[in-house]
Amino acid sequence: MEKIKNYIDQNKDRFIAELMEMLRIPSVSADSKYKADVLRTAEFVKKSLEAAGADKVELCHTSGHPIVYGEKIIDPALPTVIVYGHYDVQPPDPMELWDSPPFEPVIKDEKIYARGACDDKGQVFMHIKAFELMMKTNSLSCNVRFMIEGEEEVGSTNLGKWIHENKARLKGDVILISDTSIIANDIPSIDVGLRGLSYVEVEVTGPNRDLHSGVYGGAVANPITVLCEMIAKMKDENNHITIPGFYDDVLTLTQGERDELNKAPFSLDEYKKDLAVADVLGEKGYTTLERTGIRPTFELNGIWGGYIGEGAKTVLPGKAYAKISMRLVPNQGSDKITKLFADYFTSIAPSSVKVKVTPHHGGEPVVTPTDSIAFKAASNAMETTFGKKPIPTRGGGSIPIVALFEKELGLKSVLMGFGLDSDLIHSPNEHYGIFNFLKGIETIPLFFSNYAEMNSK
Ligand code: BES
Ligand code: MN
Ligand code: MN
């Protein structure tokens, strides 16, 4: 413990400077104009792993962005931890809302501001630095394999394929991931669930061209209006999703399990204040923690059509579009939900329009165990470094590859994240607390030592 603290104290300025270097490379996976930068970031990760002492570090090329693999096998008899994370980031838009440029990291109030600072470059870098620490202080107690990908923010399709093809070399005992949040810096927690995802884009076509809204208006279907009406039909007055069959596979929790989940510290007043909303809105009969943790959703991510430029243009547009995400919970399946949505959406379209549904990426929901050695190793590690036992929580976000780790490799994951929900991931002014970054570097080596020790018993 002393050894860990000393090493961090002596090296923390360098750790932060190196992370800032990584944050300067705009690794936006969704936008092909950043392809070369995404590759540069993969090379940065490779160099960092090599410098920290990893062996067999390589860029594994895919039809998309590369996966960075590296390992340190110290003794085949020891357990092997597979560290997963992602070096790609979300697009920085809208640019004008950033207080400082997204790829020019700055430190303000003990926080590093940049796209990817928390999600997930900052958290990946904690693992690389914790590994460096264990190597330099001769305290690595498990074998480790790193698998850092560049396509998490676009659905991890190529990593899924790569895992399938590389099963043999991915022998391990557990997956360790830092890509989630804790409740607060003085309330540690560990996510034990992630939601799945069905993401679709819809196109509603009315007339074969844009029309004069006076000459034709009132006589021809306006696709924007029709799209809005169709979307309005997707939920009832209780904010219950109306897609037939949507809830069929939803695992209902017992009242006891729900009570347990609602015991997590949460203030609805502060939540509302933070978001500047007078009230929350969600499915009737569920608390906010339940709405984000154990219930599926239907959300619009974007909707457009017609004229949105300056001033007024009288137009009856030919087409309208929307991007829709549905978050899923056990035991819903993303392919099935996508199909149920597409069937329903098509069935409620009036004959005055044509609709097209295009599925994007998906991902399956997961629940991770709390009675495993790995969970206990993480829980004890956090208890040591935070001075408080972490609370198991259900995260609302998705990490699609986690379900595939289970399916392809038969391995469970531990979601030992260190971010805060207020870190503005995916939003302008994303940041990561230096406290959180260093706390991660301090906690990870304890996970390794706890895990090795508990496995040997
Ligand atoms: N790290 C997040 C997921 C997350 C954040 C889980 C906070 C729990 C708490 C991840 O990078 C992410 O944003 N995932 C996407 C999934 C995707 C397929 C684009 C998401 O949840 O929208
Ligand atoms: Mn992430
Ligand atoms: Mn993300």
Side-chain angles (χ1 to χ4, degrees):
M1 192 65 201
E2 272 316 292
K3 250 193 339 197
I4 298 177
K5 282 205 165 132
N6 286 341
Y7 192 86
I8 294 175
D9 264 351
Q10 283 156 15
N11 293 280
K12 60 175 187 256
D13 292 343
R14 176 174 58 84
F15 291 170
I16 294 166
E18 288 175 6
L19 170 60
M20 289 181 57
E21 209 181 305
M22 184 183 187
L23 292 170
R24 270 185 208 108
I25 322 174
S27 52
V28 181
S29 52
D31 187 341
S32 57
K33 80 169 183 273
Y34 293 99
K35 195 167 167 48
D37 295 305
V38 179
L39 179 62
R40 271 206 296 142
T41 315
E43 277 157 1
F44 181 95
V45 174
K46 176 172 182 265
K47 277 203 199 104
S48 307
L49 280 171
E50 280 166 347
D55 300 328
K56 297 190 183 166
V57 188
E58 62 168 302
L59 293 196
C60 306
H61 292 281
T62 68
S63 60
H65 304 301
I67 297 146
V68 188
Y69 176 85
E71 62 179 44
K72 190 78 204 177
I73 307 297
I74 45 175
D75 178 352
L78 287 171
T80 302
V81 177
I82 302 182
V83 174
Y84 164 80
H86 62 97
Y87 65 82
D88 65 320
V89 300
Q90 286 274 324
D93 314 72
M95 292 295 252
E96 65 280 9
L97 295 183
W98 285 81
D99 294 333
S100 55
F103 300 110
E104 292 172 29
V106 290
I107 299 178
K108 242 183 356 192
D109 306 326
E110 307 280 298
K111 298 175 189 90
I112 305 172
Y113 284 79
R115 167 59 81 234
C118 170
D119 185 15
D120 184 32
K121 285 175 173 172
Q123 301 206 60
V124 161
F125 210 61
M126 298 178 324
H127 280 274
I128 300 178
K129 293 297 109 176
F131 173 63
E132 175 196 307
L133 181 157
M134 292 186 279
M135 290 298 289
K136 291 278 154 67
T137 57
N138 245 316
S139 57
L140 183 66
S141 49
C142 302
N143 302 310
V144 56
R145 297 182 200 279
F146 289 92
M147 195 169 30
I148 314 295
E149 72 153 321
E151 298 192 316
E152 194 277 340
E153 300 290 9
V154 291
S156 304
T157 320
N158 288 307
L159 178 63
K161 281 187 211 142
W162 186 81
I163 289 174
H164 185 75
E165 290 156 8
N166 288 273
K167 272 186 193 174
R169 76 155 123 168
L170 294 174
K171 276 201 206 82
D173 297 280
V174 68
I175 313 269
L176 180 62
I177 305 174
S178 296
D179 193 22
T180 51
S181 352
I182 50 174
I183 296 174
N185 282 351
D186 57 353
I187 313 174
S189 58
I190 300 178
D191 273 0
V192 293
L194 290 165
R195 290 196 285 187
L197 183 69
S198 282
Y199 201 109
V200 295
E201 191 163 327
V202 299
E203 180 188 284
V204 177
T205 306
N208 60 0
R209 60 188 186 274
D210 284 7
L211 303 173
H212 188 289
S213 69
V215 175
Y216 289 93
V220 179
N222 181 319
I224 301 181
T225 313
V226 171
L227 174 59
C228 291
E229 285 164 356
M230 290 168 73
I231 284 166
K233 286 199 183 121
M234 294 284 159
K235 282 186 193 172
D236 68 14
E237 67 281 9
N238 294 324
N239 280 306
H240 210 68
I241 297 155
T242 51
I243 300 167
F246 187 84
Y247 292 98
D248 282 2
D249 301 325
V250 171
L251 195 74
T252 39
L253 271 67
T254 64
Q255 194 54 49
E257 288 171 315
R258 289 176 65 180
D259 292 345
E260 197 53 43
L261 187 132
N262 285 308
K263 274 195 210 145
F266 175 77
S267 156
L268 189 58
D269 281 337
E270 271 171 38
Y271 188 80
K272 291 193 284 195
K273 211 169 109 202
D274 177 48
L275 301 175
V277 294
D279 211 346
V280 291
L281 184 69
E283 191 183 0
K284 194 176 170 188
Y286 295 92
T287 64
T288 296
L289 286 179
E290 290 172 339
R291 286 168 178 170
T292 59
I294 56 162
R295 299 297 293 169
T297 66
F298 177 93
E299 290 296 329
L300 282 158
N301 296 266
I303 182 161
W304 70 102
Y307 182 69
I308 51 164
E310 195 181 327
K313 179 189 179 191
T314 49
V315 60
L316 194 166
K319 284 181 188 288
Y321 307 83
K323 289 184 195 279
I324 296 164
S325 62
M326 289 161 278
R327 295 282 167 173
L328 313 178
V329 299
N331 296 318
Q332 289 177 300
S334 66
D335 286 342
K336 180 170 170 189
I337 292 295
T338 301
K339 183 165 187 324
L340 290 177
F341 165 79
D343 290 350
Y344 182 56
F345 193 75
T346 312
S347 78
I348 61 172
S351 53
S352 49
V353 299
K354 290 194 276 293
V355 302
K356 195 168 110 191
V357 177
T358 311
H360 282 261
H361 48 250
E364 308 311 325
V366 280
V367 172
T368 60
T370 50
D371 58 357
S372 64
I373 288 182
F375 183 85
K376 283 182 197 132
S379 180
N380 292 353
M382 281 182 120
E383 187 173 355
T384 305
T385 56
F386 283 87
K388 268 185 205 168
K389 206 179 172 68
I391 300 166
T393 47
R394 292 283 199 113
S398 310
I399 306 176
I401 205 66
V402 176
L404 277 179
F405 285 143
E406 256 188 75
K407 192 171 150 224
E408 295 285 350
L409 304 175
L411 295 181
K412 302 276 185 193
S413 298
V414 174
L415 301 163
M416 192 172 73
F418 293 87
L420 293 174
D421 284 347
S422 56
D423 285 343
L424 302 177
I425 65 170
H426 295 204
S427 302
N429 302 316
E430 175 177 354
H431 54 269
Y432 193 37
I434 289 175
F435 169 88
N436 304 70
F437 177 62
L438 299 178
K439 194 56 94 180
I441 301 174
E442 186 188 339
T443 309
I444 292 162
L446 293 179
F447 170 87
F448 276 78
S449 52
N450 290 347
Y451 189 62
E453 194 186 326
M454 291 161 97
N455 260 293
S456 66
K457 277 181 192 153

